[in-house]
Amino acid sequence: MNLKEKLQSSYLAFEDHLQADSPLHDVRTKAMKSFEDKGFPSKKEEAWKYTSLNALLSKDYSIFPKNETAIEFNDVKKYFLNDIDTYKVVFIDGVYSSFLSQITHDVIDVCLMSSALNKSKYSSIIETYFNKAANTDSLSCLNTAFAKEGAYIRIPKNKEAKKPIEIINFATGTEAATMLQPRNLIIVEQNAHVQIIERHQSLNNNPVLTNSVTEIFLEKRANVDYYKIQNDTQNASLIDSTFIQQQRESICSVHTFSFGGKLTRNNLSFKQLGERCDSILNGVTMIEDKQHVDHNTLVHHIAENCESHQDYKGIFDDSATGVFNGKVYVEKQAQKLDAFQKNNNILISNKATINAKPQLEIFADDVKCSHGCTIGQLDPDAMFYLRSRGIADKEARALLIYAFANTVLESVKIPELKERINKLIANKMGVNLGFDL
Amino acid sequence: MLQIKDVYASVEDKDILKGISLSVNAGEVHAIMGPNGAGKSTLASIIAGKEEFELTKGEITIDGEDITELDAEERAHKGVFLSFQYPVEIPGVSVTNFIKTAINENRKAKGLEDMPASEMLKKIKEKADLLEIDRKFLSRSLNVGFSGGEKKRNEIFQMAMLEPKLAILDETDSGLDIDALKVVANGVNKLKNKDNAVIVITHYQRLLDYIVPDFVHVIMDGKIVKSGTKQLAYELEEKGYDWIKEELV
Amino acid sequence: MSKYTEDDLKKELETKEYEYGFYTDLESETFPIGLNEDIVRAISKKKQEPQWMTNWRLEAFKVWQSMQEPDWANVNYTKPDFQAIAYYSAPKAVDPNKTLDDVDPELVAMYKKLGISVDEQKKMNNVAIDIVVDSVSVATTFKKTLSEKGIIFMSISEAIKEHPELVKKYLGTVVPTKDNFYAALNSAVFSDGSFCYIPKGVRCPMELSTYFRINQAGTGQFERTLLIADQGSYVSYLEGCTAPSRDENQLHAAVVELIALDDAEIKYSTVQNWYPGSAEGKGGVYNFVTKRGLCEKNAKISWTQVETGSAVTWKYPSCILKGDNSIGEFYSIAVTNNYQQADTGTKMIHLGKNTRSTIISKGISAGKSQNSYRGLVKINASAENARNFSQCDSLLMGNECGAHTFPYIEVKNKTAQIEHEATTSKIGEDQIFYCNQRGIDTEKAIALVVNGFSKEVLNKLPMEFAVEAQKLLEISLEGSVG
């Protein structure tokens, strides 16, 4: 039985537990049908030209974990941002862990997708928002069909989440291979603010395939600051699809730090529905071995006077492969737009590969759109200069790479997180440098 | 030569000029001064025929002919030249190519053939020398990467080439150091004769030391509130604009 | 104030007829429509080709039958019915042995209309011209002067007969028959085209030029160009294209193969002005062209193109930088207006060490047109110290057109240095006013700004072509301002 067939039969079993005549069930059935029709994406599709899922799909994943596994806080403490207080929504093998979490219903909702999906008091919200931003690509559809658990966050009008929210998905690896499909829904109402950190973490080397979908809705003047930390083990793969809809004057920034995992695919899609929106997409990718990271971004400009800024840095060592496939799509009515896209890459090793496809599709004439893409190596002159000042090769290299990624690192607004990321970079490069330059 | 009669003008429904009358004769230099936002540049634009500016009332004539219905290029053909405060960049089009096109288009409007290449080159050389412009400059893209001084010098160079009847210099002194100012003013003075006229729009009297006006007009809130001789410019320099305001009240 | 508005301009443009849209009444011999093995054989027979050539065509035809028409380009059109096209059409009056003076006077009159009076060109510009009308090469000038230098410049049909060893050796080596759908079709049915060979160390003393024209209704034009620059040689080659206005779509599927051996340099310039269709989007040429060059050691190939015509263009002149230190260049201006669609760009495949490529693409979209740049820069693992610089600029006029940029960059070597930039802009109202104030009317002002925008590419064209190209830009864009 291949994975697709296994998913089909699992869905039938899953369906037995669902309320048969609910509108949500219709959504799932339709999504499942769509997945069945399309199947998993192949390299023949333009959007997957440079990323193959074949190797991942051959594993025999367990779709629903059989038994709950408890984990000790001390074992996973290091994955939390523990030097500051945060809200935490934590899942272990896709199941909510109340022990590790810290959720709230006080003014703001930081709680569970399962409650939102099943409790009647949320039904109007689910009807309004659930699956309204997500694409109909096969993997998103698959997630929609199986959507069961994840984070549900709602920040009401004029409110602010007083502390950052951490969404952490642990995979224990108790099964030989696990497939997880978390689903998050985030609604930020008028003039509300929130900071969110999302992480997927495996706790051993058994294969994990995560197919995650997050929908984020920003109402007028809402402000979202979202951080994705991707630093997983060598057999963990992640397909992360994040769909964002912005109403007027809202600002949304998403920072993606891809430091590890077998295969990581980030589908990040923004839709600007109102005037004067600002979308910020930042990313640092730093990988080695045979790791593969694919950033697939889309900023869809529909309204006037909006802006978007993309800044992606990639550093690739060993046989690592990087893909940047960024698209800016400007509708005819999206006049006075300022859209900027930048993608800079450094290849450290001769076996590393980078494939870039920065695209512009423009239908409006009064716009400022540009993109720049560079690929190169560390400047040998700069290396020599640093070494002639007595800085060892490894440290010199680390300094230059840090400087290269600095524009993105600078944009991290939570100081503790920034420090954490700096340490991650230092660790990766095997140096002990404080990077607060 | 130029008659402006009771002109009212607005931009995006905002009234800027509120009844301006001005008469400029051949051989004269008029200076127009006034605080920021008084309507100085609007006056220049409305004479040159910029589309965003709407003439709501009044009349502008050149040698007795009403020009208010004419397109900007037709006014240029009648001899109106505007030295822009912020000259526009046109990438890929050289200074030479641009002025050549402009001259020939003006000739075409007058029913003349294109200027022969040899004559064109001679004229370009002569006028470039007058403004101390070197050859390399002429092959650069129009205004792209020009310094403030280069831009203004280029404007006066074009004026020299086109030999307009009426030249309006809009804040030509802004962004110029004293040496560049002298070169530009010297160029204007050399081009000045009994058949043409110059309107100098400026904030400061500094430029008027070099281009000496016959008349000075002060614009405030869209109206000419005071006219006089060069002496008026000195007074303004010394006392600012507030005393006029007080005088008006 | 009487304004010359965008609408006025648009109206004027609509009434502006395609300047080259005359139809020359030449008596021609046209094959029955449709395509099968017999037609392929008949074309080969008609051209008195040797058996190896007939076999080559039949092989290509087999390949073509097994292929699908590609649909990945950003263009929409009704796919041509390949069985409704005549695959061979030749003006009857042509006899290859005749000299220029004997050429059909109608034809000569046609060249005059095209502004390429053969005599004049011969005298003034030192350009040798091969002219292909519908499918057949009708006049190759300057043969004698060239042959003194050992340069072979003739129609490909003649070359197949006279220089089979060269044709056999190189035909299909850069663009294999199975490369793509249209290349396969062309290989099966190409009726004529130009062949050029520059011997070792020879610098071709004049520009070589081919003028293509589709004349007959309902025909396809499938010309084949093969250009070989032997070691250390140099040639500059110009290609121009026009077609009369017709309501139905005409198909043009050419293949151009360039081979630059060690230390050789080829400069290939195209001014493509096929009939773009009417203002309502009716008719126009489908231009599906495969152009590719191969660079050996220290060789250089430079493609320059000004694309103003065709209803649909699908064209990616490319360079395979096989030899160490070889150089590929691509300079392009693509203008689309009304309902035109263009998907054009280049591929730079870096295989050798120290290979370099430059891409400068200027896209200008007006009316309801769609203009796409699609390019690939590929640095193989073997290509140490490869460099590429790409710049893709788009200019939009009006709010009903689209500009698209699809660059693909694939790098497998850490020593590569790649820089890609793209920008989008419009013609500013302040630029127009500035020109107006100097006495330049709006239409001329637009032409001036567009010329400035395209300068870097126009500069790369040989002089005679640059003037024509500038004129073409003006004609193609009249009536479009944002």
Side-chain angles (χ1 to χ4, degrees):
Chain A
M1 190 158 55
N2 67 25
L3 183 57
K4 187 178 165 189
E5 289 160 358
K6 186 165 184 181
L7 283 160
Q8 281 170 305
S9 64
S10 300
Y11 182 70
L12 291 177
F14 176 57
E15 228 179 353
D16 284 346
H17 303 286
L18 299 173
Q19 218 183 316
D21 54 352
S22 70
L24 185 58
H25 187 232
D26 286 348
V27 174
R28 290 183 193 278
T29 312
K30 240 198 205 149
M32 194 59 202
K33 175 82 177 44
S34 177
F35 167 73
E36 284 169 7
D37 291 347
K38 291 172 189 154
F40 284 103
S42 78
K43 283 184 99 163
K44 280 187 190 142
E45 287 167 48
E46 187 61 30
W48 291 84
K49 188 177 162 73
Y50 297 116
T51 297
S52 168
L53 293 177
N54 286 349
L56 298 187
L57 301 180
S58 62
K59 302 262 178 340
D60 186 21
Y61 296 103
S62 82
I63 310 295
F64 298 109
K66 289 179 197 77
N67 36 32
E68 285 184 30
T69 317
I71 43 182
E72 286 297 321
F73 177 68
N74 271 335
D75 295 340
V76 294
K77 193 177 160 197
K78 59 182 174 187
Y79 302 119
F80 290 91
L81 204 56
N82 45 32
D83 24 18
I84 52 166
D85 192 15
T86 58
Y87 294 111
K88 298 171 184 68
V89 196
V90 181
F91 305 95
I92 300 169
D93 295 332
V95 178
Y96 174 60
S97 161
S98 60
F99 171 65
L100 292 173
S101 298
Q102 190 197 334
I103 63 172
T104 183
H105 287 290
D106 181 16
V107 185
I108 62 171
D109 283 322
V110 178
C111 58
L112 302 182
M113 194 67 189
S114 52
S115 320
L117 288 171
N118 299 323
K119 289 188 183 160
S120 60
K121 70 169 179 174
Y122 293 109
S123 65
S124 76
I125 283 182
I126 291 300
E127 217 164 290
T128 315
Y129 295 104
F130 181 75
N131 210 37
K132 291 297 188 289
N135 264 1
T136 53
D137 65 281
S138 68
L139 289 163
S140 300
C141 285
L142 180 65
N143 179 290
T144 301
F146 283 89
K148 201 176 151 204
E149 193 55 288
Y152 167 70
I153 295 166
R154 191 178 70 97
I155 315 294
K157 190 171 168 180
N158 296 327
K159 300 296 180 212
E160 175 186 1
K162 298 273 187 239
K163 43 191 186 181
I165 300 166
E166 289 185 88
I167 305 170
I168 305 190
N169 293 277
F170 288 113
T172 58
T174 17
E175 312 263 348
T178 315
M179 181 167 181
L180 297 173
Q181 302 207 61
R183 175 80 171 215
N184 305 314
L185 175 62
I186 295 155
I187 300 155
V188 187
E189 294 185 359
Q190 198 171 320
N191 205 28
H193 290 230
V194 66
Q195 290 181 315
I196 297 169
I197 301 154
E198 181 193 335
R199 183 164 195 158
H200 301 267
Q201 191 63 52
S202 300
L203 300 175
N204 67 17
N205 271 333
N206 279 344
V208 176
L209 173 60
T210 304
N211 176 35
S212 170
V213 170
T214 302
E215 292 180 284
I216 306 174
F217 296 86
L218 289 90
E219 315 266 293
K220 185 177 169 185
R221 285 193 201 164
N223 192 323
V224 172
D225 203 14
Y226 205 106
Y227 301 90
K228 291 174 183 286
I229 312 296
Q230 301 169 344
N231 188 29
D232 217 339
T233 55
Q234 61 189 16
N235 283 318
S237 296
L238 170 67
I239 298 155
D240 180 290
S241 304
T242 301
F243 303 98
I244 296 156
Q245 281 195 4
Q246 287 185 257
Q247 297 296 341
R248 56 178 304 154
E249 291 158 64
S250 61
I251 302 171
C252 183
S253 42
V254 175
H255 315 253
T256 308
F257 296 95
S258 309
F259 293 153
K262 185 183 176 68
L263 181 149
T264 308
R265 160 79 172 212
N266 287 298
N267 298 316
L268 180 55
S269 157
F270 281 77
K271 203 170 194 173
Q272 295 185 335
L273 296 166
E275 285 187 33
R276 296 182 198 284
C277 289
D278 193 357
S279 306
I280 297 134
L281 299 79
N282 286 335
V284 177
T285 303
M286 219 178 137
I287 51 173
E288 59 281 314
D289 296 334
K290 284 185 176 160
Q291 294 171 348
H292 182 108
V293 171
D294 179 349
H295 288 289
N296 191 69
T297 70
L298 168 67
V299 183
H300 190 164
H301 292 279
I302 301 169
E304 280 198 17
N305 286 307
C306 291
E307 291 182 33
S308 68
H309 307 269
Q310 298 188 51
D311 188 358
Y312 280 85
K313 310 286 188 201
I315 300 123
F316 304 93
D317 203 350
D318 301 335
S319 299
T321 304
V323 180
F324 178 77
N325 191 346
K327 188 191 260 187
V328 174
Y329 193 97
V330 183
E331 299 251 3
K332 164 172 168 177
Q333 66 274 20
Q335 296 286 11
K336 313 268 178 220
L337 165 81
D338 197 342
F340 180 67
Q341 188 192 62
K342 196 162 77 172
N343 173 228
N344 306 110
N345 301 285
I346 288 182
L347 295 179
I348 303 281
S349 134
N350 240 346
K351 290 196 194 103
T353 301
I354 172 78
N355 298 308
K357 191 185 169 201
Q359 311 163 68
L360 298 175
E361 286 211 63
I362 298 166
F363 294 91
D365 61 344
D366 192 7
V367 297
K368 241 166 74 189
C369 287
S370 64
H371 68 220
C373 174
T374 62
I375 297 165
Q377 54 186 336
L378 289 178
D379 181 359
D381 294 339
M383 277 295 287
F384 178 74
Y385 182 82
L386 291 176
R387 292 176 67 188
S388 73
R389 293 292 178 269
I391 301 168
D393 184 74
K394 207 162 65 174
E395 277 71 20
R397 185 183 299 248
L399 275 173
L400 289 180
I401 286 174
Y402 185 81
F404 171 75
N406 199 35
T407 50
V408 174
L409 299 173
E410 289 262 284
S411 68
V412 177
K413 291 185 199 86
I414 306 169
E416 295 76 13
L417 182 65
K418 191 170 170 178
E419 198 177 309
R420 188 62 87 77
I421 292 166
N422 288 347
K423 271 190 192 139
L424 275 175
I425 293 178
N427 279 343
K428 272 189 92 72
M429 290 185 293
V431 295
N432 188 15
L433 291 173
F435 278 125
D436 290 321
L437 304 170
Chain B
M1 177 192 290
L2 172 75
Q3 296 290 337
I4 299 175
K5 284 182 204 151
D6 198 25
V7 159
Y8 284 74
S10 63
V11 59
E12 287 171 357
D13 293 329
K14 210 174 121 204
D15 295 327
I16 311 263
L17 299 185
K18 301 166 183 169
I20 286 212
S21 295
L22 180 66
S23 174
V24 178
N25 296 314
E28 291 178 353
V29 177
H30 289 244
I32 301 208
M33 303 185 71
N36 283 332
K40 301 190 300 286
S41 286
T42 302
L43 181 63
S45 298
I46 206 97
I47 300 171
K50 195 164 189 192
E51 279 171 12
E52 295 94 286
F53 295 84
E54 200 191 343
L55 185 83
T56 47
K57 197 182 150 200
E59 192 187 64
I60 304 170
T61 62
I62 295 254
D63 293 337
E65 189 190 346
D66 186 353
I67 60 163
T68 50
E69 290 295 314
L70 297 182
D71 288 341
E73 66 268 27
E74 292 169 316
R75 299 183 195 206
H77 300 156
K78 300 254 176 255
V80 176
F81 179 91
L82 172 62
S83 167
F84 285 64
Q85 184 179 359
Y86 305 108
V88 177
E89 295 182 1
I90 307 185
V93 177
S94 69
V95 174
T96 307
N97 189 10
F98 181 75
I99 197 65
K100 209 169 80 186
T101 310
I103 285 199
N104 286 333
E105 287 294 300
N106 278 290
R107 289 173 69 99
K108 199 163 84 190
K110 293 187 179 75
L112 298 172
E113 292 281 304
D114 280 3
M115 184 182 276
S118 57
E119 196 182 321
M120 183 78 76
L121 280 175
K122 201 175 138 233
K123 188 163 181 174
I124 288 176
K125 192 183 175 315
E126 182 193 320
K127 305 298 183 188
D129 288 348
L130 174 70
L131 288 148
E132 299 174 23
I133 286 172
D134 74 18
R135 281 284 167 80
K136 262 191 228 142
F137 179 83
L138 295 172
S139 57
R140 286 170 65 187
S141 282
L142 191 70
N143 292 320
V144 178
F146 285 17
S147 69
E150 286 172 329
K151 280 184 184 168
K152 296 300 166 71
R153 208 179 286 198
N154 179 38
E155 292 292 289
I156 304 305
F157 166 69
Q158 291 182 28
M159 171 183 159
M161 290 296 292
L162 291 165
E163 299 173 337
K165 222 184 269 177
L166 172 71
I168 305 162
L169 312 183
D170 188 4
E171 307 263 359
T172 296
D173 49 341
S174 69
L176 290 189
D177 60 40
I178 193 70
D179 292 331
L181 186 76
K182 277 183 194 162
V183 173
V184 166
N186 182 38
V188 173
N189 289 331
K190 284 206 178 129
L191 297 167
K192 184 85 240 356
N193 61 39
K194 63 177 175 33
D195 298 319
N196 59 24
V198 180
I199 297 176
V200 183
I201 295 174
T202 182
H203 211 71
Y204 307 103
Q205 69 79 37
R206 186 176 71 146
L207 179 65
L208 305 179
D209 284 341
Y210 300 97
I211 304 173
V212 181
D214 301 301
F215 303 95
V216 175
H217 311 278
V218 180
I219 294 194
M220 282 176 124
D221 193 26
K223 281 189 278 256
I224 292 182
V225 293
K226 200 169 178 68
S227 294
T229 60
K230 183 157 189 305
Q231 198 50 40
L232 179 56
Y234 286 118
E235 272 179 77
L236 288 170
E237 183 75 3
E238 206 175 302
K239 302 194 237 168
Y241 291 101
D242 290 344
W243 66 276
I244 298 187
K245 259 186 221 160
E246 283 158 24
E247 209 171 77
L248 288 174
V249 177
Chain C
M1 207 178 293
S2 76
K3 281 202 228 168
Y4 189 70
T5 65
E6 200 176 326
D7 289 341
D8 296 336
L9 275 165
K10 267 191 193 132
K11 234 171 267 157
E12 201 170 299
L13 175 72
E14 277 156 17
T15 56
K16 186 97 199 170
E17 296 199 6
Y18 176 62
E19 291 224 340
Y20 297 91
F22 53 87
Y23 166 71
T24 309
D25 190 16
L26 292 166
E27 209 187 328
S28 45
E29 182 187 358
T30 305
F31 271 31
I33 59 163
L35 184 57
N36 52 47
E37 264 195 37
D38 290 341
I39 293 281
V40 176
R41 275 181 217 281
I43 292 170
S44 191
K45 192 169 171 213
K46 182 88 210 160
K47 307 191 73 63
Q48 301 165 327
E49 287 175 354
Q51 191 58 41
W52 64 265
M53 195 62 228
T54 315
N55 292 345
W56 195 83
R57 286 175 180 276
L58 287 169
E59 189 59 37
F61 178 70
K62 258 190 223 135
V63 171
W64 177 72
Q65 279 182 308
S66 70
M67 292 175 99
Q68 296 273 318
E69 197 172 353
D71 55 8
W72 42 261
N74 189 25
V75 291
N76 274 307
Y77 61 94
T78 321
K79 297 220 163 121
D81 177 355
F82 292 96
Q83 295 304 338
I85 295 169
Y87 286 85
Y88 185 82
S89 166
K92 250 188 187 160
V94 176
D95 175 344
N97 298 319
K98 284 183 182 174
T99 69
L100 248 188
D101 300 332
D102 303 323
V103 168
D104 187 335
E106 285 261 13
L107 210 54
V108 173
M110 186 171 93
Y111 304 152
K112 287 231 171 85
K113 280 195 214 170
L114 290 169
I116 51 153
S117 147
V118 179
D119 283 343
E120 255 174 67
Q121 293 261 348
K122 201 159 74 169
K123 284 187 211 118
M124 291 169 55
N125 295 334
N126 215 21
V127 173
I129 310 180
D130 186 15
I131 294 164
V132 179
V133 173
D134 285 345
S135 298
V136 173
S137 177
V138 290
T140 306
T141 62
F142 259 96
K143 213 176 210 169
K144 198 162 158 277
T145 326
L146 294 171
S147 68
E148 279 162 11
K149 292 234 168 206
I151 295 169
I152 306 167
F153 181 40
M154 55 175 54
S155 74
I156 193 140
S157 329
E158 285 175 277
I160 289 168
K161 280 175 258 173
E162 292 177 28
H163 302 280
E165 71 298 339
L166 282 172
V167 178
K168 245 191 204 169
K169 185 170 174 192
Y170 291 108
L171 187 72
T173 56
V174 186
V175 180
T177 47
K178 53 174 168 287
D179 188 79
N180 69 68
F181 183 82
Y182 304 114
L185 178 63
N186 175 288
S187 302
V189 304
F190 75 85
S191 34
D192 217 330
S194 300
F195 174 85
C196 176
Y197 171 80
I198 317 289
K200 268 185 202 167
V202 170
R203 216 185 143 79
C204 184
M206 60 189 70
E207 313 272 355
L208 299 184
S209 168
T210 304
Y211 225 96
F212 294 110
R213 180 170 173 84
I214 301 179
N215 207 42
Q216 199 64 17
T219 59
Q221 177 148 323
F222 306 94
E223 80 277 348
R224 184 104 193 175
T225 302
L226 179 58
L227 203 162
I228 303 139
D230 211 329
Q231 292 177 17
S233 67
Y234 166 84
V235 62
S236 168
Y237 193 93
L238 318 176
E239 175 197 86
C241 329
T242 58
S245 320
R246 291 189 189 282
D247 279 352
E248 76 274 27
N249 297 103
Q250 287 169 297
L251 177 64
H252 174 249
V255 171
V256 175
E257 292 180 279
L258 309 185
I259 293 124
L261 298 176
D262 292 1
D263 304 300
E265 180 177 350
I266 301 174
K267 200 171 150 58
Y268 196 102
S269 314
T270 305
V271 173
Q272 186 263 109
N273 185 31
W274 297 117
Y275 177 54
S278 70
E280 293 76 38
K282 212 162 176 239
V285 170
Y286 290 161
N287 190 32
F288 304 138
V289 174
T290 308
K291 292 183 166 182
R292 196 174 301 150
L294 178 78
C295 285
E296 296 287 356
K297 235 195 231 159
N298 306 323
K300 177 175 174 183
I301 289 179
S302 172
W303 298 98
T304 305
Q305 58 173 27
V306 177
E307 302 273 318
T308 62
S310 298
V312 180
T313 298
W314 182 99
K315 179 180 170 187
Y316 316 93
S318 306
C319 297
I320 301 170
L321 303 172
K322 180 174 164 232
D324 292 351
N325 313 314
S326 59
I327 297 173
E329 293 177 338
F330 174 75
Y331 300 100
S332 168
I333 302 169
V335 180
T336 54
N337 199 352
N338 296 320
Y339 286 89
Q340 281 178 272
Q341 304 176 65
D343 192 302
T344 183
T346 184
K347 291 181 191 175
M348 292 291 174
I349 315 289
H350 292 252
L351 305 174
K353 294 189 177 74
N354 304 316
T355 46
R356 281 170 201 200
S357 61
T358 305
I359 299 170
I360 309 281
S361 164
K362 305 277 181 177
I364 301 158
S365 349
K368 295 183 163 65
S369 70
Q370 299 298 331
N371 200 330
S372 305
Y373 168 81
R374 186 182 304 275
L376 168 68
V377 174
K378 187 171 186 158
I379 312 289
N380 262 41
S382 55
E384 286 286 315
N385 292 316
R387 302 272 178 276
N388 164 269
F389 175 76
S390 307
Q391 188 186 325
C392 305
D393 297 325
S394 307
L395 190 68
L396 286 109
M397 300 169 120
N399 210 15
E400 287 174 286
C401 52
H404 316 269
T405 319
F406 306 105
Y408 295 72
I409 303 161
E410 303 176 9
V411 179
K412 288 187 190 301
N413 187 301
K414 70 167 182 178
T415 58
Q417 260 189 44
I418 310 293
E419 265 178 85
H420 173 95
E421 285 170 19
T423 64
T424 302
S425 56
K426 66 173 224 160
I427 298 183
E429 275 156 33
D430 50 347
Q431 287 175 317
I432 301 285
F433 177 65
Y434 188 84
C435 294
N436 286 162
Q437 210 298 307
R438 297 297 185 256
I440 301 166
D441 67 22
T442 301
E443 206 161 311
K444 191 91 191 169
I446 292 167
L448 205 60
V449 175
V450 167
N451 258 316
F453 173 78
S454 318
K455 196 90 213 165
E456 289 156 279
V457 177
L458 288 173
N459 279 346
K460 297 287 171 187
L461 284 172
M463 265 304 271
E464 313 85 58
F465 253 31
V467 177
E468 188 185 357
Q470 277 192 21
K471 226 172 74 190
L472 265 181
L473 285 185
E474 266 174 55
I475 293 167
S476 315
L477 279 172
E478 272 168 12
S480 334
V481 62

